[in-house]
Amino acid sequence: MTETVTARETVLGRVRDALALSRAPEVAVPRAYRTGRTLPDEERLALFTDRLVDYKARVHPCTADRTAAVVAEVLRERGARRVGVPAGLDPAWLGAYDGEVRKDSADIPAPALDALDAVVTASAVSCAETGTIFLDGSSDQGRRALSLVPDLHVCVVDLSSVTVGVPEAVARLVPERPTTLISGPSATSDIELERVEGVHGPRTLDVVIRTDV
């Protein structure tokens, strides 16, 4: 009986053979990244906001006690009537919203998420220098599909979780968790440099920054 070898097994076998024949010494990769940089809260907020606005995101700074009011105002302005939320999101954040709130679960197929007008999530950490928000799949951020399929993403960011640079942000992440990086609304350009939004994720990003948390 002939054993069937898959293309994957063939490729991996050739890689292993090449590695076995190689006599090149291991290369030490320098990791001398700039780390430990800090900025006062006002400067970090200003830098982060500048980068987000440059990416065509809308920014809504507020104090923690106004989270629900600001989230509801954003959703009303955007005309969102059906909103998806991760299972672990603080329900108080939607306390002032009068539309339909649907709690996500792994049982809901990804295509069904297209029926949502928006999604509201928390965030794990952010980088002011690049205007990047990191989601790590925690219960208040949900699975990747939830933050990618709906056309509007309202993301709540605590200013205390905003670092100056990328090394400082990465140091706060748990390597074993799935990480989604968001730098503004989803956008790409065709060969003539015509910007097209919403191709790989939400066309609209609203960031609610809680300045006292």
Side-chain angles (χ1 to χ4, degrees):
M1 181 176 180
T2 304
E3 182 179 356
T4 302
V5 179
T6 66
R8 178 177 183 274
E9 291 170 335
T10 300
V11 171
L12 291 177
R14 290 177 180 175
V15 170
R16 284 191 290 268
D17 291 342
L19 290 174
L21 294 172
S22 175
R23 298 182 182 276
E26 292 187 7
V27 177
V29 179
R31 305 289 184 185
Y33 306 124
R34 291 184 299 171
T35 59
R37 288 177 296 162
T38 61
L39 283 174
D41 286 353
E42 289 185 4
E43 293 184 30
R44 266 186 305 121
L45 176 60
L47 179 60
F48 188 42
T49 300
D50 177 76
R51 297 297 190 267
L52 288 170
V53 170
D54 190 53
Y55 290 145
K56 302 186 182 303
R58 289 203 316 177
V59 180
H60 313 269
C62 70
T63 53
D65 61 348
R66 296 202 66 249
T67 304
V70 173
V71 168
E73 181 180 355
V74 170
L75 293 172
R76 281 195 293 267
E77 287 182 357
R78 295 296 193 182
R81 301 304 306 165
R82 292 178 303 277
V83 175
V85 298
L89 190 76
D90 186 345
W93 291 3
L94 276 298
Y97 175 64
D98 57 3
E100 180 183 354
V101 178
R102 299 182 182 180
K103 188 176 293 187
D104 187 42
S105 76
D107 299 329
I108 300 175
L113 299 174
D114 193 42
L116 299 172
D117 298 317
V119 57
V120 178
T121 75
S123 55
V125 66
S126 298
C127 172
E129 198 168 57
T130 63
T132 304
I133 301 170
F134 296 72
L135 308 184
D136 68 0
S138 295
S139 62
D140 59 356
Q141 296 155 55
R143 54 180 172 155
R144 181 169 287 143
L146 179 64
S147 63
L148 293 180
V149 176
D151 202 42
L152 166 64
H153 184 186
V154 179
C155 188
V156 179
V157 174
D158 293 341
L159 183 57
S160 61
S161 71
V162 179
T163 67
V164 176
V166 172
E168 292 87 359
V170 171
R172 294 194 185 189
L173 296 171
V174 179
E176 293 78 16
R177 299 198 65 83
T179 304
T180 300
L181 278 63
I182 302 170
S183 294
S186 170
T188 188
S189 298
D190 61 19
I191 195 170
E192 296 180 348
L193 300 182
E194 291 291 334
R195 180 182 172 95
V196 181
E197 298 176 345
V199 177
H200 308 297
R203 181 171 13 211
T204 307
L205 174 65
D206 280 87
V207 183
V208 177
I209 305 177
R210 307 200 303 170
T211 57
D212 58 342
V213 180

